[in-house]
Amino acid sequence: MNDMTHDGYVTEDGRQIGGVMMEMKNITLRFGGVVAIKDISFDIREGEIRAIIGPNGAGKSSMLNVISGFYTPSEGEVWYQGATRPMMKPYEIARQGVARTFQNIALFEGMTVLDNVMTGRLTKMKSGLLSQAMWWGKAQAEEIVNREQVEKVIDFLEIQNIRKTPVGRLPYGLKKRVELARALAAEPKLLLLDEPMAGMNVEEKEDMSRFILDVNDEFGTTIALIEHDMGVVMDLSDRVVVMDYGKKIGDGTPEEVRNNQDVIDAYLGVAH
Amino acid sequence: MTQKSSTRGELNSIPKLLARNAVEFGSAPAYREKEYGIWQSWSWSEAAEEIQSMALGFLALGMEKGDFVAIIGRNRPAHYWAMVAAQKVGAIPVPLYQDAVADEMAYVLDHCGARFVVCGDQEQVDKVIEVQDRVSCIEHLMYHDNRGMRKYDHSRMNALADVQAEGRAAHHRFEEELSTREAAQGWDDTCVMLYTSGTTGRPKGVVLSNRNIVVTAQNSSDFDNLRSDEEILAYLPMAWVGDFIFSLGQAYWNGFCVNCPESPETMMTDLKEIAPSYYFAPPRIFETQLTQVMIRMEDAGQFKQKMFKYFMDHARNVGPKILDGESVSGLDRLKYKLGELCTYGPLKNSMGFSKVRVGYTAGEAIGPELFDFYRSLGINLKQLYGQTEAGVFIAQQPDGEVRSDTVGVPSPGVEIKIADNGEIFYRSPGAFVEYYKNPESTADTKDAEGWVATGDAGFFEENSGHLRIIDRAKDVGQMASGSLFAPKYVENKLKFYPNILEAVVFGNGRDMCTAFINIDLTAVGNWAERNNIAYASYQELAGHPEVYSTIQSHVEEVNKSVAEDPMLSGCQIHRFLILHKELDADDGEMTRTRKVRRKIVEEKFSDLLVGLYDGSKTIYTETEVTYEDGRKGAISATLELRDAAVKQVSPKMAAE
């Protein structure tokens, strides 16, 4: 399954997965003397849910930051939609259709849910600062279009009742959902979720899992996620990359990964 | 086509009223629904077209005259359209409670033999599929919200929009057939079948004819001078008779607009935005709103709090009088006007009651303080007494004759008589045809002359001629000492305290009364927050000693007030406990309309009841609970049992 062909595969539940959307080729990331990621290669295919797992400090978040363009790899190449990705600012990468949520919620606490989700549309807005401030002509038309898209996301994630509530007043689980809403508002092709279930109770996890599956199903969004909850990972994802100490130790379907001796060792612990 | 049907004579069915409205009020709004943050609206002629195409689609699916069509979902225009479309083809709509678990649904679907089911969304579809192997009658499923539905097997399932599209495409083939079926309907054809919530035993299917619904809608609209420019918010369960009368019967008779909220959670915001002119709510909703106002007032600044208190005190004195048109001094009127400007107006606005011309509360007794609070603000809140079998209306209060302890005069066209044992009987054009497939129950309830037994005990007040309800006739009993036992009377007094959500009083045939109490998590939770009392669950808060003390003081105050009535003084509560779980419809302890099933509660918590009577101080118990998805679990708790002070009124009670 890990061959580099461009035709996809069919998942167990009958979804057609497309060709390679993003490919990480021999990525190494160093911070001074610390090597966070060592020579890792894997791909993400159109329409799949791809998980990155590993024990604490394995380099998962660094990997996600490389994908989102926040970190530039010290060595190696990132291929996105059939071409190498040059050095880019994160917002330029966002414009290419990559959106993300954060492990530690990064919302504007004083702003309402609606305004927060609207910021997800920022890359789609073209009118200037002045015309937006005056809310005149093109800016007005643009806002209406953007608001419509945002309302669809609000409807999708069932957060109508907190539309006008300042984010600071929301419980943790809902904040996570608002983050997802903001990422979805950008209409991403590739959605990166950094520990979407962290700190949630069982019910919130169930809700979030359903939303992730629905997003993938309804919009065809490709999803790459980091998650600690093994049950969630194994249920949700089509393919899993396992990292440990910055190295890739496993890659394949949840079933394959579960039976991989290196992975079992990494989780249960062996002498290094 | 609409032209023809309006000249077709009598307006004896909902589809015929629709046809008339499409001509007379063509461009006026008939339905609004908030979606994507905006109120989307449909005019009467647009609604008529939507319903027409849905009815044609139903014909294309092979719906026959007399088929039952179950409708399961929250209040949305498309669900109302499905009911009227079913009526157009001669089928009978059966709205079901959307929060019912699959088992309850299976019984009703099987009992009426529904061939078609219209579901709101995936959740409802899943429930129907779950019971489909037991309920063999279901042939075709339809759903409104297509989210998550893509992967389902569509061989016997369609989106409502697709059914409509099919209907539009096939209009040449079916239009004639549809007009024939529509025209063929008469006064005595079934309009709708509604299942009673069933405080005892299985739900019963109440068959209501076109005459029941249309005549009742007409009479009740005349009583309150309803007009075509009323605005109502449809938020109560569609399976409940009241919603059918208000949102279909009266709306179609008068041609007014039905507004549907965006989601159940946004109901309060939507209420504020719509500001209905005609409003209906059970006491519970009014109570929640008052609690919210009071909680928020406590957070307000000093000046605002003082102003609120000053003007509310004034309103309590003169507000109801002004509303009833009694004489009030000029100065008081001026002060009331000022209060309207500073307090009442903004308050009504934030609660969504700025424009209420007629408001009703029913279903349960309403606390006098609660009732007066709303009336003192100038809201014309009235009480009515009704039931499913009557097509809602039995008695209601005319403007200007409103009191919290009566339910008013007989509704237009309704005759009421009181039997020797105090039970209320009525006869009216709205009185139901029969219980479906249940002739014994029909015969028990409705006699040959058309008198229907309500099961409630009550009497007419001598001077005012208003009806007063005492209790459910079969709940009224006798204590061992021979004094009258009326549990509802005491329970209502308890429930008037914001801290108490539910109370169940026992004592029939025993020597003293005891009670189970449910605390109101919103009110008590707020109190806990203010007093830095940490709690993790309902159970923990309910067991808190300070909460117990507060509830005990409420119980003792109630005892004092009960003692004042010589007839009912025996009903004072000697011992009580706070239940470790909220009574819930999913566990069968309540009906879907949130009425306590006394018998079931008594059986389920029989161990606790024994504890209340054997004098023990604490008791350990385990209870089975049902989760929303139908799974079962168990919770255990050690409960405290408390004694409450009672007032000695008669020597008989001294034995305690």
Side-chain angles (χ1 to χ4, degrees):
Chain A
M1 185 147 25
N2 241 346
D3 56 88
M4 293 296 159
T5 54
H6 278 265
D7 9 283
Y9 63 98
V10 178
T11 61
E12 273 176 38
D13 58 345
R15 282 178 306 128
Q16 175 65 46
I17 300 299
V20 175
M21 174 184 246
M22 183 173 262
E23 197 175 342
M24 318 303 286
K25 284 190 178 166
N26 308 96
I27 302 288
T28 299
L29 180 69
R30 287 189 207 94
F31 298 106
V34 180
V35 186
I37 301 173
K38 273 183 229 148
D39 192 30
I40 286 189
S41 303
F42 66 92
D43 64 351
I44 300 169
R45 288 169 180 267
E46 300 256 2
E48 78 177 341
I49 300 180
R50 189 76 148 117
I52 304 171
I53 63 170
N56 284 333
K60 305 181 297 288
S61 286
S62 301
M63 195 69 232
L64 208 67
N65 281 325
V66 171
I67 299 175
S68 73
F70 187 69
Y71 292 153
T72 312
S74 317
E75 286 166 31
E77 283 177 341
V78 178
W79 282 66
Y80 182 57
Q81 297 189 319
T84 43
R85 195 164 71 183
M87 284 275 284
M88 274 178 157
K89 294 267 193 308
Y91 72 85
E92 293 172 316
I93 291 172
R95 275 204 187 135
Q96 287 192 338
V98 179
R100 69 168 297 176
T101 66
F102 297 86
Q103 185 177 351
N104 307 311
I105 294 165
L107 292 164
F108 302 100
E109 297 264 316
M111 283 170 25
T112 62
V113 168
L114 179 62
D115 288 339
N116 266 288
V117 182
M118 279 298 269
T119 59
R121 301 292 297 171
L122 215 55
T123 56
K124 312 271 175 188
M125 294 188 195
K126 303 211 167 47
S127 52
L129 183 68
L130 190 64
S131 74
Q132 284 200 13
M134 306 291 286
W135 210 57
W136 180 260
K138 207 177 121 191
Q140 196 177 354
E142 209 178 56
E143 174 150 333
I144 290 169
V145 173
N146 286 319
R147 174 71 188 269
E148 194 180 340
Q149 189 59 37
V150 165
E151 283 295 340
K152 281 184 185 152
V153 172
I154 287 176
D155 184 68
F156 188 82
L157 294 179
E158 295 163 12
I159 47 176
Q160 300 100 327
N161 57 325
I162 51 165
R163 194 186 276 127
K164 299 274 169 72
T165 313
V167 164
R169 276 179 28 202
L170 298 177
Y172 183 79
L174 274 180
K175 283 187 187 171
K176 281 262 180 194
R177 209 189 288 182
V178 175
E179 263 219 325
L180 179 61
R182 179 177 62 185
L184 283 180
E187 295 175 78
K189 296 192 188 83
L190 175 61
L191 177 63
L192 309 175
L193 306 173
D194 195 348
E195 299 206 16
M197 321 278 175
M200 285 189 171
N201 63 31
V202 176
E203 196 184 330
E204 288 169 334
K205 277 183 187 171
E206 280 176 359
D207 279 348
M208 188 54 105
S209 303
R210 188 167 59 87
F211 285 127
I212 291 172
L213 288 172
D214 280 356
V215 167
N216 176 259
D217 187 50
E218 292 276 308
F219 306 136
T221 311
T222 307
I223 295 171
L225 64 97
I226 294 179
E227 185 48 60
H228 270 296
D229 187 317
M230 278 306 122
V232 169
V233 169
M234 296 300 172
D235 282 354
L236 287 183
S237 38
D238 301 312
R239 289 191 301 155
V240 183
V241 177
V242 191
M243 290 175 73
D244 191 22
Y245 290 100
K247 286 181 294 196
K248 182 169 104 171
I249 56 169
D251 190 352
T253 63
E255 197 52 39
E256 286 164 9
V257 166
R258 197 177 284 143
N259 299 324
N260 182 325
Q261 191 55 46
D262 290 339
V263 176
I264 296 169
D265 291 346
Y267 271 91
L268 296 180
V270 287
H272 278 276
Chain B
M1 180 223 66
T2 43
Q3 203 71 46
K4 248 193 279 167
S5 53
S6 73
T7 55
R8 205 173 276 154
E10 282 183 306
L11 295 167
N12 59 3
S13 70
I14 299 246
K16 283 174 194 166
L17 288 171
L18 172 68
R20 179 203 65 180
N21 292 349
V23 175
E24 273 186 32
F25 312 114
S27 58
Y31 287 96
R32 280 196 208 98
E33 181 183 31
K34 197 171 184 190
E35 206 174 25
Y36 301 132
I38 294 174
W39 287 97
Q40 323 274 347
S41 84
W42 290 265
S43 68
W44 278 106
S45 53
E46 284 164 342
E49 195 282 328
E50 297 276 357
I51 294 167
Q52 173 79 2
S53 57
M54 209 181 278
L56 291 167
F58 286 172
L59 280 181
L61 285 173
M63 197 181 285
E64 292 297 330
K65 188 171 162 30
D67 279 350
F68 287 94
V69 183
I71 289 124
I72 318 166
R74 65 183 170 88
N75 313 68
R76 302 194 69 172
H79 303 157
Y80 289 109
W81 299 341
M83 291 213 268
V84 183
Q87 290 171 336
K88 267 178 169 261
V89 299
I92 298 153
V94 185
L96 304 187
Y97 285 97
Q98 55 157 342
D99 54 354
V101 292
D103 276 340
E104 293 171 29
M105 239 170 229
Y107 173 78
V108 173
L109 289 171
D110 189 49
H111 184 258
C112 70
R115 273 185 74 201
F116 298 89
V117 182
V118 176
C119 296
D121 56 15
Q122 187 185 10
E123 185 188 342
Q124 308 300 342
V125 172
D126 285 346
K127 280 195 260 184
V128 175
I129 290 176
E130 192 188 324
V131 302
Q132 218 165 3
D133 49 348
R134 274 178 284 162
V135 185
S136 53
C137 53
I138 302 168
E139 282 176 26
H140 206 93
L141 268 175
M142 285 165 271
Y143 57 86
H144 176 50
D145 187 348
N146 59 3
R147 174 163 176 199
M149 294 302 302
R150 219 148 38 88
K151 280 188 243 154
Y152 284 66
D153 170 15
H154 274 65
S155 56
R156 286 164 65 198
M157 191 189 293
N158 279 112
L160 264 182
D162 294 339
V163 173
Q164 284 181 300
E166 207 174 341
R168 287 188 183 105
H171 76 104
H172 282 301
R173 262 185 294 148
F174 292 120
E175 234 160 37
E176 213 185 309
E177 165 80 11
L178 187 61
S179 331
T180 318
R181 287 204 199 178
E182 234 184 290
Q185 286 178 49
W187 284 112
D188 295 315
D189 286 307
T190 303
C191 178
V192 67
M193 187 157 94
L194 299 162
Y195 277 84
T196 59
S197 46
T199 25
T200 47
R202 286 290 197 180
K204 288 178 280 196
V206 179
V207 176
L208 293 166
S209 67
N210 284 326
R211 185 189 310 277
N212 293 152
I213 297 296
V214 177
V215 176
T216 303
Q218 180 185 0
N219 284 345
S220 53
S221 300
D222 291 347
F223 186 85
D224 284 312
N225 302 314
L226 299 181
R227 305 183 299 241
S228 64
D229 60 353
E230 308 291 349
E231 297 281 347
I232 64 165
L233 188 73
Y235 69 99
L236 291 161
M238 288 182 67
W240 176 62
V241 64
D243 189 62
F244 193 85
I245 287 283
F246 300 128
S247 306
L248 274 168
Q250 292 183 337
Y252 279 56
W253 177 261
N254 298 292
F256 61 65
C257 181
V258 175
N259 300 282
C260 299
E262 187 169 24
S263 74
E265 293 81 28
T266 60
M267 185 261 173
M268 290 296 172
T269 324
D270 298 331
L271 181 67
K272 185 180 165 186
E273 286 174 2
I274 287 298
S277 61
Y278 178 43
Y279 180 67
F280 187 96
R284 181 180 296 268
I285 302 248
F286 288 112
E287 210 176 305
T288 314
Q289 271 183 313
L290 177 61
T291 311
Q292 275 169 359
V293 167
M294 289 309 177
I295 288 171
R296 276 162 66 180
M297 268 326 289
E298 279 178 38
D299 288 330
Q302 280 273 318
F303 175 72
K304 281 188 185 164
Q305 284 196 23
K306 283 215 172 101
M307 187 172 80
F308 178 76
K309 191 176 171 319
Y310 178 79
F311 282 116
M312 284 316 296
D313 285 344
H314 182 62
R316 217 159 283 139
N317 290 333
V318 300
K321 286 187 196 153
I322 293 176
L323 203 59
D324 287 341
E326 289 171 34
S327 74
V328 173
S329 79
L331 187 68
D332 278 345
R333 264 180 206 279
L334 191 69
K335 229 161 90 179
Y336 190 81
K337 283 241 165 67
L338 194 64
E340 175 77 28
L341 204 66
C342 309
T343 307
Y344 321 142
L347 186 59
K348 281 191 281 188
N349 185 31
S350 84
M351 292 193 294
F353 293 150
S354 291
K355 295 185 190 151
V356 173
R357 214 165 50 75
V358 183
Y360 274 112
T361 170
E364 291 273 346
I366 186 165
E369 284 103 54
L370 185 63
F371 195 61
D372 288 344
F373 171 81
Y374 287 96
R375 286 192 58 82
S376 68
L377 292 175
I379 299 163
N380 185 20
L381 184 61
K382 308 194 286 183
Q383 297 204 71
L384 75 78
Y385 170 65
Q387 56 174 200
T388 309
E389 286 83 348
V392 181
F393 299 95
I394 298 175
Q396 61 199 119
Q397 295 176 324
D399 288 344
E401 296 176 38
V402 179
R403 282 171 41 198
S404 64
D405 56 353
T406 73
V407 292
V409 298
S411 300
V414 180
E415 300 166 73
I416 297 183
K417 71 174 182 192
I418 312 280
D420 293 339
N421 66 352
E423 188 171 353
I424 302 165
F425 286 78
Y426 66 91
R427 186 159 70 174
S428 76
F432 74 122
V433 180
E434 58 170 357
Y435 290 120
Y436 186 64
K437 286 203 236 167
N438 196 343
E440 303 94 67
S441 287
T442 309
D444 284 347
T445 314
K446 192 180 173 187
D447 70 15
E449 289 169 38
W451 288 100
V452 182
T454 59
D456 288 324
F459 62 92
F460 278 106
E461 273 191 352
E462 298 230 328
N463 36 16
S464 64
H466 283 213
L467 184 65
R468 260 182 87 165
I469 311 291
I470 310 174
D471 207 330
R472 295 288 300 167
K474 64 175 173 357
D475 290 340
V476 176
Q478 272 192 346
M479 313 269 307
S481 62
S483 62
L484 189 67
F485 172 68
K488 201 67 172 280
Y489 176 80
V490 185
E491 285 161 14
N492 284 334
K493 278 191 186 287
L494 283 167
K495 279 157 66 179
F496 295 157
Y497 290 94
N499 289 333
I500 298 178
L501 184 71
E502 242 5 289
V504 191
V505 172
F506 303 96
N508 197 14
R510 298 181 190 255
D511 55 1
M512 64 172 188
C513 279
T514 57
F516 290 169
I517 308 261
N518 259 176
I519 55 167
D520 186 326
L521 197 56
T522 325
V524 181
N526 188 267
W527 165 85
E529 214 171 282
R530 273 167 211 288
N531 292 287
N532 286 327
I533 290 169
Y535 64 97
S537 63
Y538 174 88
Q539 189 181 342
E540 194 177 332
L541 188 61
H544 196 278
E546 284 197 49
V547 173
Y548 253 95
S549 305
T550 312
I551 299 297
Q552 180 166 3
S553 68
H554 294 333
V555 170
E556 285 167 1
E557 279 169 52
V558 166
N559 281 348
K560 269 186 215 151
S561 128
V562 170
E564 282 167 18
D565 192 329
M567 222 162 74
L568 293 162
S569 62
C571 298
Q572 295 185 69
I573 293 159
H574 289 66
R575 278 165 68 77
F576 73 97
L577 60 83
I578 303 178
L579 281 176
H580 51 299
K581 73 177 281 286
E582 285 184 277
L583 297 179
D584 197 331
D586 288 343
D587 292 325
E589 294 147 354
M590 284 185 148
T591 66
R592 290 282 157 203
T593 48
R594 304 196 58 88
K595 288 184 183 134
V596 172
R597 288 190 167 118
R598 204 173 290 278
K599 274 269 147 47
I600 293 178
V601 172
E602 191 173 339
E603 279 161 26
K604 189 163 179 179
F605 299 106
S606 53
D607 53 336
L608 299 181
L609 202 56
V610 169
L612 279 174
Y613 284 99
D614 69 10
S616 44
K617 289 282 163 220
T618 58
I619 187 165
Y620 174 82
T621 185
E622 265 180 45
T623 312
E624 187 182 67
V625 289
T626 313
Y627 298 111
E628 265 176 40
D629 59 2
R631 280 180 298 159
K632 306 245 185 217
I635 52 171
S636 61
T638 304
L639 299 179
E640 193 187 339
L641 308 154
R642 282 247 184 141
D643 295 327
V646 292
K647 242 183 137 177
Q648 304 297 339
V649 277
S650 68
K652 266 185 211 159
M653 303 302 297
E656 237 303 292

